[in-house]
Amino acid sequence: MCDTDRLQKLFRQMHHTDPLIIRAPGRINLIGEHTDYNNGFVLPAAIDKAIYVAVNKRNDHKIHLYAEEYNENYIADIEKLRQPKFNWSCYVLGVVEQLIKRNYAITGFNIVIDGDVPVGGGMASSAAIECATALALNTLFDLRLSRLDMVKIAQKAEQEFVGLQCGIMDMFTSMFGKKDHVICLDCRSYEYEYFPFKQDGVKIVLLNSSIRHSLAFSEYNSRRRECEQGVALVQQHHPHVQSLRDVNMEMLDKYVAHDKVVYNRCRFVLEENERLLAGCIDLQNNDIAAFGKKMYATHKGLSKLFEVSCTELDILVDLVKNNSNVIGARMMGGGFGGCTINIVKEDAVEELIYEVREAYREKTGFNLAAYVASIEDGACIAATVTSLYHE
């Protein structure tokens, strides 16, 4: 857990004044992976791990950035934004670039970043930085942006400045999260509904493979292109089709089956949307066992059809799938590393983590990090001050 008092003290030492502090959480996603950029449905929730940014205005056009986790400084000029080496600073500068493109009046600022969202764990640490930055600058400069405006700005920052053609789920969840609820989000219309996620007797356990394969970034963009190829094939016969959301299995079988790779990618997305909507009914009926089976089905699809899993993630799911204390499990996030998400009976959590950690180390040679997550509210102001200027 990030200590806001410590962050405030650090900011004072660096900039000799008190900051505005913003909290933006990471996220989990129960079902609905790689569906967001296909205008489908997702079922995420904000968690108790978050990014915190401390900010105040400057009286020039410089942006002074500091990341506590890396002990790194970076200075940028708001009038001459350049692509830095791909790292944490891109997520801040990408948001700044989007605000400038929209003609919002902002000046320079100081920003110090800290938090406890594991980088590369599939919990959307980058989106949390973007959302924290967007809310901080919106507050600092009184831009009067809506939460959905800030979500769209954060998404564009990642797509255009970072270069990852992501969907909207991560940013939306970080902004719109609600304690003890998951969000059923329609990524085409942005309509959403909260569903209570009762954690009576169960816990959400994230098992971090502790690896991140280098192809994750490029393969994510490749999967998006493959889905678009499927849409294009159907579109030749049904011009009204704009995304996989408009495609059904009959169309897929008729027009895409000749390309096995593209067919499998699209098939997964169509099946995942159906699984998610059925899963929402399970939650309404408090049928967590039925919901858990759908999580296992999602992992199988991600591994065999969408092919974004990896040996380590498959091992983690295999190690728990026959354990009666684990209700559901799957890989989570873009793929090729990061975490599996598991719904585990509360009284079995410690023993499960111990057993899986030992077995995973024996099978892979990697250490396993584990987190027990709770569902919390979305981005908010964590601390305010009277004076926000640094002379």
Side-chain angles (χ1 to χ4, degrees):
M1 182 67 70
C2 176
D3 185 339
T4 54
D5 290 338
R6 184 177 63 81
L7 181 58
Q8 188 175 56
K9 183 178 180 181
L10 174 62
F11 193 93
R12 280 197 210 108
Q13 290 173 347
M14 297 179 70
H15 300 295
H16 313 294
T17 189
D18 286 330
L20 166 71
I21 299 179
I22 300 292
R23 169 194 170 275
R27 65 102 188 96
I28 55 172
N29 186 30
L30 292 170
I31 291 180
E33 213 68 79
H34 290 273
T35 50
D36 57 346
Y37 55 78
N38 287 297
N39 283 346
F41 298 92
V42 290
L43 196 66
I47 57 173
D48 58 338
K49 299 187 181 303
I51 294 296
Y52 291 78
V53 299
V55 296
N56 75 332
K57 295 179 184 177
R58 295 181 59 85
N59 56 8
D60 56 23
H61 288 94
K62 300 294 184 182
I63 305 172
H64 285 225
L65 306 99
Y66 175 74
E68 170 70 359
E69 180 173 354
Y70 304 111
N71 189 26
E72 290 180 355
N73 287 285
Y74 187 80
I75 298 176
D77 190 323
I78 206 166
E79 296 181 325
K80 300 175 184 177
L81 284 181
R82 296 185 177 90
Q83 185 77 30
K85 183 180 179 181
F86 177 63
N87 59 14
W88 55 271
S89 61
C90 291
Y91 304 117
V92 175
L93 299 180
V95 171
V96 174
E97 181 186 63
Q98 289 302 316
L99 292 174
I100 292 171
K101 283 183 176 181
R102 289 164 171 77
N103 297 315
Y104 285 103
I106 63 173
T107 60
F109 58 92
N110 302 304
I111 183 166
V112 176
I113 303 169
D114 198 7
D116 57 0
V117 184
V119 176
M123 288 177 249
S125 58
S126 60
I129 295 174
E130 289 155 351
C131 288
T133 301
L135 181 55
L137 299 183
N138 183 56
T139 306
L140 203 62
F141 296 104
D142 192 25
L143 304 180
R144 302 185 182 183
L145 295 162
S146 70
R147 284 191 172 250
L148 185 56
D149 288 336
M150 288 185 278
V151 165
K152 292 178 179 179
I153 284 169
Q155 181 193 23
K156 280 293 185 182
E158 186 131 355
Q159 290 178 338
E160 296 183 2
F161 201 83
V162 179
L164 182 67
Q165 298 306 306
C166 62
I168 205 165
M169 174 182 67
D170 294 354
M171 300 81 183
F172 194 97
T173 311
S174 190
M175 277 288 180
F176 285 88
K178 182 178 179 181
K179 184 176 176 63
D180 296 330
H181 289 73
V182 294
I183 309 168
C184 181
L185 170 64
D186 181 337
C187 296
R188 179 170 63 183
S189 67
Y190 304 134
E191 293 178 356
Y192 63 98
E193 183 176 356
Y194 292 110
F195 286 86
F197 187 83
K198 298 178 180 178
Q199 289 187 259
D200 299 337
V202 300
K203 292 290 185 183
I204 297 170
V205 179
L206 306 173
L207 300 176
N208 194 339
S209 64
S210 301
I211 59 106
R212 188 69 172 167
H213 291 291
S214 59
L215 47 73
F217 189 92
S218 61
E219 288 297 315
Y220 184 100
N221 289 341
S222 293
R223 293 302 179 275
R224 181 162 187 160
R225 287 194 297 271
E226 287 161 350
C227 291
E228 290 169 349
Q229 289 170 22
V231 171
L233 289 170
V234 175
Q235 217 170 30
Q236 294 173 11
H237 307 274
H238 296 276
H240 72 279
V241 167
Q242 299 299 312
S243 70
L244 283 179
R245 178 69 176 276
D246 305 317
V247 176
N248 58 40
M249 282 303 303
E250 183 181 354
M251 294 175 184
L252 209 61
D253 291 339
K254 191 171 183 179
Y255 304 119
V256 187
H258 65 279
D259 190 324
K260 185 177 180 181
V261 171
V262 172
Y263 177 85
N264 283 344
R265 306 298 190 249
C266 297
R267 176 186 162 190
F268 167 77
V269 173
L270 267 61
E271 291 177 347
E272 183 76 341
N273 280 323
E274 292 179 1
R275 257 193 301 271
L276 186 147
L277 295 176
C280 289
I281 296 173
D282 293 337
L283 292 181
Q284 283 182 319
N285 295 333
N286 199 25
D287 191 347
I288 196 70
F291 187 89
K293 290 178 182 177
K294 291 177 176 62
M295 292 176 66
Y296 283 119
T298 288
H299 183 80
K300 183 178 179 181
L302 286 165
S303 180
K304 305 304 181 184
L305 296 178
F306 217 70
E307 296 184 281
V308 291
S309 187
C310 59
T311 300
E312 295 84 359
L313 291 171
D314 288 343
I315 286 172
L316 284 175
V317 173
D318 286 342
L319 286 172
V320 304
K321 68 182 180 182
N322 295 318
N323 189 323
S324 61
N325 291 313
V326 181
I327 297 162
R330 70 173 188 86
M331 62 149 281
M332 185 181 72
F336 306 103
C339 289
T340 61
I341 178 170
N342 306 260
I343 300 178
V344 183
K345 293 179 181 177
E346 186 172 10
D347 56 5
V349 169
E350 289 188 13
E351 182 180 358
L352 177 86
I353 291 173
Y354 175 80
E355 290 177 352
V356 174
R357 181 178 283 137
E358 294 301 309
Y360 181 72
R361 185 185 296 117
E362 183 178 334
K363 287 179 176 290
T364 68
F366 294 116
N367 291 322
L368 178 74
Y371 317 96
V372 179
S374 62
I375 298 175
E376 299 294 338
D377 289 325
C380 63
I381 297 172
T384 59
V385 292
T386 302
S387 175
L388 297 175
Y389 285 91
H390 168 58
E391 299 299 333

